């Protein structure tokens, strides 16, 4: 055994370990700390390699690789999107990711990211609202009460101070499940029977519906002055949630314009329609909300840097929690030029054992 | 537990399991069977998505993602290249890969690929030589006796019938190590003191050197008529091994022209210089060797489809060998819309335990 004898090892955070990590840290603390890492990375946005995601499309769905790097660390996420999966008892979206050392190219973390993506999406939404919603926003409508909804609610509670939820889903059992899961978590919850009812009195409107082609979850008359809209569900070409007229009345903030123009709500607008970049607001280079009456819209599609932040945060928690296993992922012979010799030594060892 | 209760599991082949798999199957059988899968995939070349690799470059090296899909399966490889790693006791190149089901986007295999890449590169080289070298080629020169060399030798023995090796490396200890590792494997081995000496009487010349900028491992006068050249080492911009004049005298065969023109020996030639695609030879659409006297050159850089074939082959071996572990990589709740509920159930379970 040499000082380098563990170079072959990559820590792996399984789904079970991710759940234990979230429970150990506490989900609201987890979301709050993750939000701080996202803000930290958004403030140094210009340091990052920003590659568009690499997508492999098929009849049934898409598989994407989302890489990025800050010059010191490199991260990528593998994520699929298959709307028909749910009918077969599978997740529409699953994901995993890797964080590596740019200096030597060795992976330093492999992690499940189905949970982590839900957590980072919620933390990102809450970070945007913290910078864009009216101060003292307490009431949030959530339209679409699927897999994202509880994470969104908890992030907005922890980071923005939301305490009142108004829930609506076309499937009442989804609303019931969401309300049940959030019972006892410090919210006043109202189950609503229409989108119209849900948005009444809401400071913030979160739309997180799925599987709809050019749907109109919100129509223009439903959105009053001063509201912040957190549009989470529209995130690929052909999938939008908001009526175009709402976009025209809003100050629009996005993650990475070249990607959002293809995937976000603004795919409904001209390709040069003015939008603001959220990182500039967070970095103090650009004003967020300009008045009490402005409608602000975060047109969220999810960007690789958020996954990078999430992987970076998870890795920072490993030592103190021990919630990972060691994966023998990298062939690392004592003599790097002698890869084949490693096989011979393994053979000799097996013969002895 | 439901019929779907193992949907979260992805088989993982560690470095240790890969070595045991190779030893259990036998390395020559492994290379031979892998070569058949590569040939099978090359014959249906036109079915594949062919994306250029996605590279993240830094001062010290490169990290790449190499995806491809045949419409039924999707595969990608993560691979780094960091020449300075060897001085620090790390591998210059490490890799891992994933194979997924296109229909639902779920990964079905995660595997180490440092070993597997060496194996597939060797199998690919031997497949090319099987189609391009003179029949009854028995003698191979290997110039550059590093980590690739033994794998190349064994693949050429198993697939082409090579039994005589003539080894040369600028570092005599590398040649000594290679010859030692191959002792008793059925070769007659000659350690040579120059490239010139190594190529004397060789039917096939394999060049597998590393870390050289526009090196000239072979000069024009060293290559006689009828020889097949297997150029493995030149595989990125600025890294070549052969003198340009050799290229001009050869029939050149490549994997994927858009990639080879950037990374291969032919980066020295005009961007429209005629080359032949190896898959067309394997599929019987194009002639390989046209006469006894022609010099054939396989300008190998490594393409994503070969990694796909390798992952596909490894996956086919899992059931019979059991050489893998189950990785809890995918969050897969019984109710797909209830991701957060999975966390609550985990919490309740931990409280009971």
């Amino acid at each position: 055994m040499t000082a380098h004898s563990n170079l072959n090892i990559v820590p792996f955070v399984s789904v079970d370990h991710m759940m234990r990590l979230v429970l150990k840290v506490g989900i609201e603390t987890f979301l709050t700390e993750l939000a701080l890492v996202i803000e930290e990375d958004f403030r140094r946005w210009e340091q990052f390699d920003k590659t568009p995601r690499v997508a492999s499309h098929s009849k049934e769905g898409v598989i994407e690789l989302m890489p990025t790097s800050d010059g010191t660390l490199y991260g990528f996420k593998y994520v699929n999107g298959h709307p028909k999966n749910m009918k077969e008892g599978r997740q529409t979206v699953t994901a995993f990711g890797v964080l590596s050392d740019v200096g030597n190219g060795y992976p330093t973390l492999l992690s499940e990211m189905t949970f982590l993506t839900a957590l980072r999406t919620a933390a990102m939404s809450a970070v945007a609202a913290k910078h864009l919603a009216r101060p003292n926003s307490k009431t949030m409508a959530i339209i679409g009460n699927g897999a994202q909804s509880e994470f969104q609610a908890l992030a907005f509670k922890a980071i923005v101070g939301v305490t009142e939820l108004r829930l609506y889903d076309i499937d009442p059992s989804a609303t019931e499940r969401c309300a049940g899961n959030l019972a006892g978590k410090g919210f006043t919850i109202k189950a609503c029977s229409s989108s119209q009812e849900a948005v009444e009195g809401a400071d913030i409107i979160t739309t997180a519906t799925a599987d709809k082609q050019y749907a109109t979850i919100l129509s223009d008359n439903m959105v009053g002055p001063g509201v912040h809209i957190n549009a989470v569900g529209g995130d690929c070409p052909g999938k939008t949630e908001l009526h175009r007229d709402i976009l025209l009345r809003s100050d629009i903030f996005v993650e990475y314009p070249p990607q959002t123009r293809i995937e976000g709500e603004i795919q409904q607008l001209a390709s040069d329609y003015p939008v603001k970049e959220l990182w500039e607001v967070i970095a103090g280079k650009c004003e967020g909300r300009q008045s009490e009456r402005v409608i602000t819209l975060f047109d969220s599609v999810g960007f690789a840097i958020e996954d990078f932040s999430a992987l970076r945060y998870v890795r920072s928690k490993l030592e103190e929690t021990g919630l990972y296993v060691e994966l023998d992922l990298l062939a690392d012979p004592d003599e790097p030029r002698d890869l084949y010799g490693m096989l011979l030594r393994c053979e000799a060892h097996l013969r002895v054992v």
Side-chain angles (χ1 to χ4, degrees), chain A:
Chain A
M1 300 295 270
T2 72
H4 278 156
S5 62
N6 61 349
L7 284 179
N8 61 312
I9 293 300
V10 177
F12 166 58
V13 178
S14 67
V15 175
D16 188 55
H17 275 140
M18 183 63 74
M19 290 196 291
R20 287 164 189 255
L21 177 59
V22 172
L23 293 169
K24 181 156 196 167
V25 174
I27 188 165
E28 292 190 42
T29 304
F30 189 106
L31 288 162
T32 304
E33 292 181 348
L34 173 53
L36 292 176
V37 179
I38 291 174
E39 287 188 309
E40 197 175 292
D41 287 340
F42 269 56
R43 275 195 294 271
R44 59 194 186 101
W45 185 263
E46 290 159 301
Q47 286 175 23
F48 283 86
D49 246 8
K50 286 168 284 287
T51 323
R53 52 181 97 193
V54 185
S56 176
H57 293 276
S58 65
K59 206 170 73 260
E60 288 109 348
V62 64
I63 297 176
E64 297 177 330
L65 299 174
M66 299 167 69
T68 192
S69 167
D70 68 358
T72 302
L73 293 171
Y74 167 93
F76 81 88
K77 178 164 85 169
Y78 168 107
V79 58
N80 75 296
H82 287 72
K84 64 142 189 104
N85 272 7
M86 211 175 296
K87 283 185 220 111
E88 300 165 7
R90 289 186 170 83
Q91 290 279 117
T92 302
V93 174
T94 61
F96 67 90
V98 169
L99 198 66
S100 300
D101 183 329
V102 168
N104 58 37
Y106 273 42
T108 60
L109 172 67
L110 169 69
S111 176
E112 87 81 35
M113 289 192 79
T114 309
F115 267 106
L116 192 56
T117 298
L119 291 156
R120 74 87 161 129
T121 301
M124 180 77 252
S125 284
V127 163
K130 179 180 132 188
H131 290 272
L132 298 175
R134 283 191 315 255
N136 301 314
S137 292
K138 295 283 177 219
T139 302
M140 177 158 82
I142 305 181
I143 301 174
N145 303 151
Q148 278 288 320
S149 54
E150 298 97 333
F151 297 96
Q152 289 281 334
L154 291 163
F156 277 75
K157 173 161 176 282
I159 294 155
V160 181
V162 163
T163 52
E164 314 246 335
L165 297 177
R166 301 178 66 82
L167 307 179
Y168 173 69
D169 196 291
I170 46 168
D171 174 2
S173 74
T175 302
E176 200 178 320
R177 198 212 65 245
C178 176
N181 281 342
L182 292 173
K185 305 287 180 193
F187 295 103
T188 308
I189 300 175
K190 165 89 175 150
C192 301
S193 54
S194 68
S195 303
Q196 181 74 57
E197 187 189 351
V199 303
E200 276 167 26
D203 303 304
I204 296 167
I205 302 172
T206 288
T207 56
T209 62
D211 308 339
K212 293 292 188 305
Q213 296 293 311
Y214 295 116
T216 303
I217 309 305
L218 286 185
S219 55
D220 191 32
N221 64 328
M222 289 163 66
V223 180
V227 162
H228 173 68
I229 305 171
N230 171 41
V232 176
D235 62 357
C236 65
K239 183 154 166 268
T240 61
E241 296 182 306
L242 308 183
H243 193 282
R244 187 171 179 276
D245 290 348
I246 299 176
L247 307 184
L248 299 176
R249 284 167 62 209
S250 304
D251 269 3
I252 303 174
F253 298 82
V254 305
E255 290 141 312
Y256 182 55
Q259 184 178 314
T260 311
R261 292 198 190 275
I262 295 167
E263 301 173 3
E265 297 297 326
I266 59 171
Q267 65 187 275
Q268 303 180 66
L269 303 179
S271 64
D272 61 351
Y273 190 88
V275 297
K276 292 173 186 164
E277 297 190 44
L278 187 60
W279 77 268
E280 294 195 299
V281 178
I282 294 171
K285 290 172 185 287
C286 152
E287 205 179 354
R289 166 167 292 272
Q290 293 185 307
S291 81
E292 283 282 306
R293 294 187 58 80
V294 159
I295 299 168
T296 51
L297 165 62
F298 175 44
D299 187 0
S300 161
V301 297
F303 188 56
I305 294 176
E306 298 149 35
D307 299 312
F308 178 95
S309 307
L311 289 168
R312 201 158 76 76
Y313 173 64
V314 167
R315 203 185 57 161
S316 77
K317 288 292 182 187
L318 295 192
E319 204 170 330
E320 69 187 79
T321 64
L323 291 169
Y324 65 95
V325 294
E326 297 191 333
L327 222 56
D328 169 32
L329 186 60
L330 304 176
D332 211 294
D334 295 339
E335 167 50 79
R337 280 170 47 144
D338 195 13
L339 189 63
Y340 180 72
M342 197 174 159
L343 195 64
L344 293 180
R345 287 187 289 277
C346 174
E347 187 174 25
H349 175 75
L350 290 176
R351 213 177 287 131
V352 171
V353 173

